[in-house]
Structure formats: structure tokens, C-alpha cells
Amino acid sequence: MSSTTDTPQTSTDAAGAFVVHPSAAPATDEVRTAALAAPKFGTVFTDHMARISWSQQAGWHDRRVEAYGPLQLDPACAVLHYAQEIFEGLKAYRHADGSVWTFRAGANAARFASSARRLALPVLPEQDFLAAIEALVRTDVDWVPSGDEMSLYLRPFMYASENFIGVRATLEAEFLVIASPVGPYFASGVHPVSIWVAEDYHRAGAGGTGAAKCGGNYAASLVAQQEAYTQGCEQVCFLDSETNTYLEELGGMNVFVVGADGRVLTPELTGSILEGVTRSSIIQLLTDAGRTVEERRISLAEVRAGLETGEVAEVFACGTAAVVTPIGRLAGNGFDLTVGDGTAGAVTTAIRAELTDIQYGRLADRHGWMHRLV
Ligand code: COI
């Protein structure tokens, strides 16, 4: 994701390579309309899923869209034992004229390929990644919501499907895309969230899988996330594992700090932080607007001191699911601080509006980030 002006996507014809096997029992219009009314994040799924199989012998084959449904796994299936699995998250947005678009899907495809390399999974060609999304969204286009702040969340993933419990890279894999109509990620809606800084647990370390989007990183974050809940917070923030000093990322989002002087800071990519698509888009948009954005190490001590003196004015989280979410409270062992006055700050509010205006087609897409699906 070194360039934030993405290359044009040309997957349209490739979507035709997917054979569509329509669901025998799609949701009725009434059921779908009710499901789209106010879906809780990640709980409602569309009628179909896209799928491609891989084996070392046959390569990528059997591109299809089929009825959404349970996967049958042998108890010896490798992913159940060694967590050889990766995923992505992106969204399809319905614009006011009814058309449906993705945002920087090529960046997700590239990150998926790099996650696959790190997890010793086969690399799915970018064309197939984009075509699978296109084929699924076209099939289930009626599931793309049009409500405020709503979208169709797309979850591409790949897992080791070989039935073998020896420890080595799989010789068989399955790639799937499922889709879920969503509103805001947090149950509280788009409101400031509270963050617990974990000092006893780390998400990733040097040479590990922190920069890959693999299930194992999220599994490693859950006990700390539970600790955050126990402490009355909604999300956890991890520090670097080497010195327990510098902010890394939240359980599933990147983090930004805004100074009272208007400078914006975000942790630099050290190899243990996920290179978020939303993160890099925000850096680009803020830079376009003439702001100084520093990607560097940010110590917890610096943020705590800045919150106490007022030098830190805003803190926000970002990610595909969370978009831009203000952080209103930062707590940890021995401290509990309100960020600003606890409400969303001006920079957070403005960058959220600019990003979502581009995504929903209300603002010019000057970087060529949007790609029309329907
Ligand atoms: C996303 O933002 O899409 C993610 O994959 C993170 C997860 C918290 C939903």
C-alpha cells in the first residue's frame, strides 16, 4: 500500500468466470427488508457466498457463487489445529443513484496476498479476489443497504482445508467471500468509545504475524479485550511487545492522535502493526489538506502527558468496520483520562465526514479509490 492512488481495477470480465448456483431458498423480500432495517454488526448474512478452491496439483479452480451455508470440515482439517487462515474486510456502498461501489478493493487484494505469503498459504491472484467480490455483490445486490451509515461488509477469507495434522503448509485451501449488511460497528453507534491500554498482553512481536491479517492475531487479542470489558472499556489498545512503551494498535483498528497544534500522529509501521487501508487513506486525505502527519513511535507516556496538559486534543480509531471512531476515554493501570471534553473532536469529525463522503459518492474521488460494481 505504498501508493495511495490505486491502479484502475479491471476485474469486470473476470467476474464472469464465476458459475452462479442460485440458492434454492433465498430470503423473501419481507425477510430481507426486515434484516436490512437495523442489522447488528456481523450477524446477518446474504443469500450467497463466492468460493474458489485450491490444491497444489490443480491450482485455483472451481470459481463459483453458491448458496450461503455451513462448511463441512473434517475434524482433521488443518485450520482447526494450526490456525493457517487469513481474512480481509471491505465494504460495498450504495450511492444515491442506486449504483454500488467498493473502496480501494485493490489494496485489500494486495494485503491479502501479502498475508497469504506470511501464513504460507497460496497467493490468490488479485484479479480473482476482485472478481469474487464483484460476482457475489452482483448476485446479492438487493442486500446492499441504502440507509445512513450502512453498507454491505465483505469478508474474504482463506483457510487451510487439507485433512492432515502434521505441521506443514497445507496442500489444499479454500477461498470464500461472505457478505453482511451492516450499520455502525459499535453497539453504541458512532459515539466516542473508551479504550483500555493493555500492559500484560501483547498482540504481536518482532518477526511475528502482526502485519498480516490472520485470525491468530485476533485470537491473541481477545483475553486483553475481555480485560478491557472488565475495566468498563469497549476496546483494548496494545503496546509494543519489546518495551511495553509505544502504542501499536487496537484489537482490530489503527489509532491516531491529534495535537492541539493540529499535528496528527499515528504509530509507524514496525512490522507488528497492520497496515490499515483506512489508516493510509486518512494519512493521504490529511496530507492533501495540508496537515502534518507524523508516522512515528508514540509512547503511552507522551499521550498521557499530552492529555493531562491539553497538548493532545483528540484520539481516534479507524478501520474498515469502525470507519473513524472517536476515542473519548483512555484508561490503563493507574490512569483514567478523558480525551478533550469526551466528545468527538473537530479533526476526527471532519476526516470521518470526508472519507465517508468519498465512499458514498458525495465527494469527488480524486485518488481513483472507488470502483463501480453495479
Ligand atoms: C475491519 O475493520 O474490517 C476488520 O477486519 C476488523 C474487525 C474489528 C472487524
mmCIF file of all heavy atoms in Angstrom, residues 41 87-90 111 153 155 185 213 218 235 251-253 318-322, ligand 1:
data_model
loop_
_atom_site.group_PDB
_atom_site.id
_atom_site.type_symbol
_atom_site.label_atom_id
_atom_site.label_comp_id
_atom_site.label_asym_id
_atom_site.label_seq_id
_atom_site.Cartn_x
_atom_site.Cartn_y
_atom_site.Cartn_z
ATOM 1 N N PHE A 41 -23.941 -5.442 13.886
ATOM 2 C CA PHE A 41 -22.754 -5.716 13.080
ATOM 3 C C PHE A 41 -22.403 -7.215 13.055
ATOM 4 O O PHE A 41 -22.266 -7.855 14.090
ATOM 5 C CB PHE A 41 -21.540 -4.934 13.606
ATOM 6 C CG PHE A 41 -20.349 -5.085 12.692
ATOM 7 C CD1 PHE A 41 -20.112 -4.181 11.678
ATOM 8 C CD2 PHE A 41 -19.495 -6.171 12.818
ATOM 9 C CE1 PHE A 41 -19.036 -4.342 10.807
ATOM 10 C CE2 PHE A 41 -18.423 -6.343 11.947
ATOM 11 C CZ PHE A 41 -18.204 -5.435 10.940
ATOM 12 N N PHE A 87 -7.759 -13.283 6.448
ATOM 13 C CA PHE A 87 -9.029 -12.687 6.012
ATOM 14 C C PHE A 87 -8.825 -11.221 5.644
ATOM 15 O O PHE A 87 -7.748 -10.659 5.836
ATOM 16 C CB PHE A 87 -10.113 -12.851 7.082
ATOM 17 C CG PHE A 87 -9.910 -12.059 8.340
ATOM 18 C CD1 PHE A 87 -10.523 -10.831 8.509
ATOM 19 C CD2 PHE A 87 -9.115 -12.532 9.374
ATOM 20 C CE1 PHE A 87 -10.360 -10.083 9.675
ATOM 21 C CE2 PHE A 87 -8.931 -11.793 10.534
ATOM 22 C CZ PHE A 87 -9.558 -10.583 10.685
ATOM 23 N N GLU A 88 -9.869 -10.633 5.114
ATOM 24 C CA GLU A 88 -9.884 -9.210 4.778
ATOM 25 C C GLU A 88 -11.237 -8.642 5.188
ATOM 26 O O GLU A 88 -12.180 -9.389 5.483
ATOM 27 C CB GLU A 88 -9.687 -8.989 3.264
ATOM 28 C CG GLU A 88 -8.240 -8.870 2.842
ATOM 29 C CD GLU A 88 -7.519 -7.724 3.544
ATOM 30 O OE1 GLU A 88 -8.128 -6.664 3.764
ATOM 31 O OE2 GLU A 88 -6.343 -7.894 3.892
ATOM 32 N N GLY A 89 -11.338 -7.331 5.183
ATOM 33 C CA GLY A 89 -12.617 -6.674 5.440
ATOM 34 C C GLY A 89 -12.717 -5.464 4.532
ATOM 35 O O GLY A 89 -11.796 -4.646 4.477
ATOM 36 N N LEU A 90 -13.760 -5.375 3.756
ATOM 37 C CA LEU A 90 -14.013 -4.189 2.925
ATOM 38 C C LEU A 90 -15.517 -4.051 2.769
ATOM 39 O O LEU A 90 -16.265 -4.917 3.243
ATOM 40 C CB LEU A 90 -13.294 -4.265 1.576
ATOM 41 C CG LEU A 90 -13.706 -5.293 0.540
ATOM 42 C CD1 LEU A 90 -13.121 -4.901 -0.821
ATOM 43 C CD2 LEU A 90 -13.201 -6.691 0.886
ATOM 44 N N ARG A 111 -3.040 -6.730 0.173
ATOM 45 C CA ARG A 111 -2.724 -7.125 1.551
ATOM 46 C C ARG A 111 -3.050 -8.600 1.777
ATOM 47 O O ARG A 111 -2.346 -9.310 2.501
ATOM 48 C CB ARG A 111 -3.496 -6.236 2.537
ATOM 49 C CG ARG A 111 -3.067 -6.448 3.968
ATOM 50 C CD ARG A 111 -3.699 -5.438 4.896
ATOM 51 N NE ARG A 111 -5.148 -5.562 4.929
ATOM 52 C CZ ARG A 111 -5.951 -4.721 5.581
ATOM 53 N NH1 ARG A 111 -5.447 -3.692 6.223
ATOM 54 N NH2 ARG A 111 -7.260 -4.902 5.586
ATOM 55 N N TYR A 153 -20.850 -5.212 4.292
ATOM 56 C CA TYR A 153 -19.497 -5.583 4.723
ATOM 57 C C TYR A 153 -19.116 -6.895 4.041
ATOM 58 O O TYR A 153 -19.869 -7.871 4.089
ATOM 59 C CB TYR A 153 -19.466 -5.744 6.246
ATOM 60 C CG TYR A 153 -18.086 -6.013 6.792
ATOM 61 C CD1 TYR A 153 -17.185 -4.964 6.984
ATOM 62 C CD2 TYR A 153 -17.673 -7.293 7.110
ATOM 63 C CE1 TYR A 153 -15.909 -5.200 7.479
ATOM 64 C CE2 TYR A 153 -16.403 -7.536 7.604
ATOM 65 C CZ TYR A 153 -15.528 -6.493 7.792
ATOM 66 O OH TYR A 153 -14.268 -6.722 8.281
ATOM 67 N N ARG A 155 -16.401 -9.987 3.621
ATOM 68 C CA ARG A 155 -15.380 -10.701 4.382
ATOM 69 C C ARG A 155 -14.783 -11.823 3.529
ATOM 70 O O ARG A 155 -15.269 -12.954 3.528
ATOM 71 C CB ARG A 155 -16.024 -11.251 5.657
ATOM 72 C CG ARG A 155 -15.171 -12.174 6.525
ATOM 73 C CD ARG A 155 -13.813 -11.634 6.850
ATOM 74 N NE ARG A 155 -13.804 -10.408 7.626
ATOM 75 C CZ ARG A 155 -13.810 -10.340 8.960
ATOM 76 N NH1 ARG A 155 -13.856 -11.436 9.670
ATOM 77 N NH2 ARG A 155 -13.745 -9.167 9.569
ATOM 78 N N TYR A 185 -20.159 -0.185 13.653
ATOM 79 C CA TYR A 185 -19.506 -1.358 14.264
ATOM 80 C C TYR A 185 -19.817 -1.466 15.752
ATOM 81 O O TYR A 185 -20.088 -2.547 16.260
ATOM 82 C CB TYR A 185 -17.988 -1.247 14.052
ATOM 83 C CG TYR A 185 -17.226 -2.388 14.670
ATOM 84 C CD1 TYR A 185 -17.290 -3.668 14.117
ATOM 85 C CD2 TYR A 185 -16.463 -2.209 15.820
ATOM 86 C CE1 TYR A 185 -16.607 -4.728 14.693
ATOM 87 C CE2 TYR A 185 -15.773 -3.252 16.390
ATOM 88 C CZ TYR A 185 -15.850 -4.516 15.823
ATOM 89 O OH TYR A 185 -15.178 -5.563 16.394
ATOM 90 N N LYS A 213 -3.101 -10.069 8.148
ATOM 91 C CA LYS A 213 -4.468 -10.093 8.676
ATOM 92 C C LYS A 213 -4.856 -11.562 8.804
ATOM 93 O O LYS A 213 -5.416 -12.174 7.882
ATOM 94 C CB LYS A 213 -5.409 -9.326 7.746
ATOM 95 C CG LYS A 213 -6.658 -8.838 8.469
ATOM 96 C CD LYS A 213 -7.317 -7.693 7.734
ATOM 97 C CE LYS A 213 -8.641 -7.307 8.363
ATOM 98 N NZ LYS A 213 -8.546 -6.699 9.691
ATOM 99 N N TYR A 218 -6.091 -11.964 16.044
ATOM 100 C CA TYR A 218 -7.319 -11.546 16.712
ATOM 101 C C TYR A 218 -7.587 -12.455 17.909
ATOM 102 O O TYR A 218 -8.031 -11.996 18.963
ATOM 103 C CB TYR A 218 -8.478 -11.499 15.702
ATOM 104 C CG TYR A 218 -8.217 -10.423 14.658
ATOM 105 C CD1 TYR A 218 -7.297 -10.620 13.623
ATOM 106 C CD2 TYR A 218 -8.814 -9.170 14.753
ATOM 107 C CE1 TYR A 218 -7.002 -9.630 12.711
ATOM 108 C CE2 TYR A 218 -8.524 -8.159 13.843
ATOM 109 C CZ TYR A 218 -7.617 -8.394 12.818
ATOM 110 O OH TYR A 218 -7.314 -7.399 11.920
ATOM 111 N N GLN A 235 -12.814 -1.152 24.037
ATOM 112 C CA GLN A 235 -11.753 -1.663 23.162
ATOM 113 C C GLN A 235 -10.443 -1.682 23.921
ATOM 114 O O GLN A 235 -10.277 -0.989 24.931
ATOM 115 C CB GLN A 235 -11.589 -0.739 21.948
ATOM 116 C CG GLN A 235 -12.346 -1.193 20.712
ATOM 117 C CD GLN A 235 -11.731 -2.433 20.061
ATOM 118 O OE1 GLN A 235 -10.521 -2.570 19.981
ATOM 119 N NE2 GLN A 235 -12.577 -3.340 19.613
ATOM 120 N N GLY A 251 -7.573 -3.658 19.209
ATOM 121 C CA GLY A 251 -7.865 -5.062 18.907
ATOM 122 C C GLY A 251 -8.104 -5.313 17.426
ATOM 123 O O GLY A 251 -7.749 -6.365 16.909
ATOM 124 N N GLY A 252 -8.655 -4.363 16.717
ATOM 125 C CA GLY A 252 -8.889 -4.567 15.286
ATOM 126 C C GLY A 252 -8.928 -3.255 14.533
ATOM 127 O O GLY A 252 -9.606 -3.146 13.514
ATOM 128 N N MET A 253 -8.221 -2.259 15.008
ATOM 129 C CA MET A 253 -8.241 -0.923 14.395
ATOM 130 C C MET A 253 -6.908 -0.224 14.618
ATOM 131 O O MET A 253 -6.245 -0.479 15.617
ATOM 132 C CB MET A 253 -9.317 -0.048 15.071
ATOM 133 C CG MET A 253 -10.721 -0.498 14.828
ATOM 134 S SD MET A 253 -11.764 -0.080 16.227
ATOM 135 C CE MET A 253 -12.732 -1.576 16.323
ATOM 136 N N CYS A 318 -9.474 3.831 13.718
ATOM 137 C CA CYS A 318 -10.004 3.709 12.360
ATOM 138 C C CYS A 318 -9.806 2.305 11.828
ATOM 139 O O CYS A 318 -8.910 1.575 12.232
ATOM 140 C CB CYS A 318 -9.322 4.718 11.432
ATOM 141 S SG CYS A 318 -7.621 4.325 11.089
ATOM 142 N N GLY A 319 -10.699 1.937 10.928
ATOM 143 C CA GLY A 319 -10.638 0.630 10.288
ATOM 144 C C GLY A 319 -11.832 0.540 9.349
ATOM 145 O O GLY A 319 -12.708 1.411 9.374
ATOM 146 N N THR A 320 -11.869 -0.488 8.527
ATOM 147 C CA THR A 320 -12.997 -0.612 7.608
ATOM 148 C C THR A 320 -14.305 -0.698 8.385
ATOM 149 O O THR A 320 -15.273 -0.006 8.088
ATOM 150 C CB THR A 320 -12.822 -1.857 6.724
ATOM 151 O OG1 THR A 320 -11.646 -1.674 5.958
ATOM 152 C CG2 THR A 320 -14.009 -2.056 5.800
ATOM 153 N N ALA A 321 -14.340 -1.557 9.392
ATOM 154 C CA ALA A 321 -15.576 -1.753 10.141
ATOM 155 C C ALA A 321 -15.909 -0.516 10.968
ATOM 156 O O ALA A 321 -17.036 -0.039 10.964
ATOM 157 C CB ALA A 321 -15.442 -2.987 11.038
ATOM 158 N N ALA A 322 -14.914 0.015 11.665
ATOM 159 C CA ALA A 322 -15.160 1.132 12.591
ATOM 160 C C ALA A 322 -15.151 2.485 11.887
ATOM 161 O O ALA A 322 -15.524 3.486 12.484
ATOM 162 C CB ALA A 322 -14.106 1.133 13.683
HETATM 163 C C1 COI B 1 -12.246 -4.459 9.720
HETATM 164 O O1 COI B 1 -12.169 -3.301 10.148
HETATM 165 O O2 COI B 1 -12.772 -4.709 8.642
HETATM 166 C C2 COI B 1 -11.677 -5.590 10.473
HETATM 167 O O3 COI B 1 -11.377 -6.578 9.882
HETATM 168 C C3 COI B 1 -11.534 -5.513 11.938
HETATM 169 C C4 COI B 1 -12.579 -6.155 12.760
HETATM 170 C C5 COI B 1 -12.622 -5.415 14.053
HETATM 171 C C6 COI B 1 -13.964 -6.221 12.217
#
